[in-house]
Amino acid sequence: MDLKSLEVFCRIVELRSFTRAAEAVSLTQPTVSGHMKDLEAELGIRLLDRAGRTVTATRAGTILYAYARRILGLRGEALQAIREHKGGLTGELALGASSIPGAYLLPPLVAAFKRDHPEARIALDIKGSREIVRGIGDGTYEVGMVGARFEEGRVRYERYVQDELVLAVAASHPWAGRRTVRVQDLASQPILMRERGSGTRKIMEKVLVAHGVDPDRLRVALEVTSNEAIRQALKAEAGVAVISRRAVEEDIRGGMVAALRFHGIRLMRDVFLVTHRTRSRSPLGAAFVVFLQSAEASVA
């Protein structure tokens, strides 16, 4: 089974497009199509379904994709091990992070790591916590950082730092002068909400249920996948939001947003370092995890 064909196949599945996959692997579209034709012929089964311009994996394609990611990951580990043997820590490292660690914790850490290992190439993908955990499990990412735990038997969680969630409101909001509000008061307000699968939303809904508030009965004004969108909507007085203090710290200092706590509750959550439970790490991935663990005290 040709490794290049597996690489092409994985990029098609991830990008859902032959055209974009061809650009990603620096091949012509006919060459990409040729790789897929050969792979499907070798396996004797259709791997992709084409509906207009969109491409999706068949059931057989989904099975192959999981193995192909592992195969390509092992190739990367082998190449990295040889580079390490020859001297110097080089190669590629795929990181995955949810929104808060991806935007506020990892960038300065990656920059510091790169100063010691300038030849290392690091890609950081920011998605919801659930997607990142799933990506660690299937080999899309080697190291992850998320704001919530999800059931996934293939991964290992390690508490890294804590993150405080606050109720953020615009400076002009009637609650801006308060220090606390009751959890039940949230039901009277238009809510700016993160998407399902986000760690922030998971923690918020758990607190609501514990205090007798049905999350499905909230007045959701806007549901988004971006903390930056919530920041802008807050300042535009579109609603209130439960959000990481790290995400609105600059707005709080600038007097544009006020941060409140719920009465009797301080919403603290763990941020977790996530790695695969059984898969061996590349030398670069192992070095990065050691670096993160040594830097933990400075980012707490």
Side-chain angles (χ1 to χ4, degrees):
M1 194 178 295
D2 181 66
L3 288 176
K4 191 64 179 180
S5 293
L6 289 179
E7 181 184 358
V8 168
F9 166 69
C10 286
R11 297 306 285 162
I12 293 171
V13 172
E14 291 159 1
L15 298 173
R16 305 181 69 182
S17 164
F18 274 72
T19 301
R20 284 183 288 169
E23 294 173 354
V25 296
S26 301
L27 295 174
T28 65
Q29 190 166 334
T31 302
V32 165
S33 298
H35 275 292
M36 284 311 307
K37 183 178 178 180
D38 291 344
L39 191 57
E40 290 181 329
E42 179 180 357
L43 296 175
I45 194 168
R46 180 178 292 278
L47 300 172
L48 300 169
D49 282 329
R50 301 159 181 82
R53 295 184 178 180
T54 302
V55 182
T56 56
T58 64
R59 175 58 184 156
T62 301
I63 293 170
L64 178 63
Y65 176 75
Y67 284 98
R69 290 295 313 179
R70 289 163 62 185
I71 291 168
L72 294 172
L74 284 171
R75 179 189 65 175
E77 290 177 22
L79 292 172
Q80 176 59 53
I82 295 300
R83 294 189 191 103
E84 180 77 1
H85 177 71
K86 292 164 62 178
L89 200 59
T90 63
E92 298 181 1
L93 176 62
L95 305 180
S98 59
S99 57
I100 294 302
Y104 302 99
L105 295 177
L106 279 173
L109 290 169
V110 169
F113 182 78
K114 285 276 290 178
R115 284 194 288 271
D116 292 332
H117 306 288
E119 298 302 316
R121 297 189 299 279
I122 299 178
L124 173 59
D125 196 10
I126 301 176
K127 292 182 177 177
S129 293
R130 188 187 296 275
E131 289 182 86
I132 298 302
V133 170
R134 188 180 298 124
I136 293 290
D138 65 26
T140 302
Y141 313 114
E142 187 170 353
V143 181
M145 196 176 285
V146 298
R149 293 178 63 140
F150 292 89
E151 289 301 321
E152 170 53 82
R154 297 172 295 176
V155 310
R156 177 183 290 108
Y157 292 98
E158 177 184 334
R159 286 183 176 87
Y160 191 63
V161 296
Q162 284 201 310
D163 182 45
E164 183 181 14
L165 301 180
V166 297
L167 177 63
V169 303
S172 57
H173 192 281
W175 289 357
R178 297 193 194 182
R179 299 184 66 179
T180 64
V181 295
R182 298 184 311 147
V183 172
Q184 294 81 355
D185 293 337
L186 203 58
S188 68
Q189 298 294 311
I191 307 296
L192 307 172
M193 184 85 81
R194 283 293 306 276
E195 79 286 1
R196 294 189 187 279
S198 126
T200 300
R201 180 162 177 163
K202 182 181 180 182
I203 299 298
M204 184 190 82
E205 290 183 342
K206 183 178 179 180
V207 170
L208 289 171
V209 170
H211 288 79
V213 179
D214 183 353
D216 292 331
R217 297 182 68 85
L218 293 177
R219 295 167 50 199
V220 179
L222 180 65
E223 181 176 315
V224 295
T225 59
S226 160
N227 282 316
E228 181 60 27
I230 287 182
R231 282 185 62 208
Q232 300 306 322
L234 275 169
K235 291 184 283 188
E237 304 178 13
V240 304
V242 174
I243 190 170
S244 168
R245 177 179 283 275
R246 297 175 196 266
V248 291
E249 193 67 59
E250 184 177 324
D251 300 319
I252 295 170
R253 290 198 301 266
M256 293 180 286
V257 168
L260 292 73
R261 291 175 178 162
F262 292 115
H263 183 67
I265 304 171
R266 190 177 182 196
L267 280 180
M268 301 296 295
R269 64 170 176 179
D270 291 313
V271 173
F272 297 95
L273 182 62
V274 192
T275 54
H276 200 278
R277 186 174 293 278
T278 59
R279 186 176 297 130
S280 60
R281 294 178 197 147
S282 68
L284 181 57
F288 187 67
V289 169
V290 170
F291 171 81
L292 290 179
Q293 291 167 336
S294 67
E296 181 178 345
S298 66
V299 297

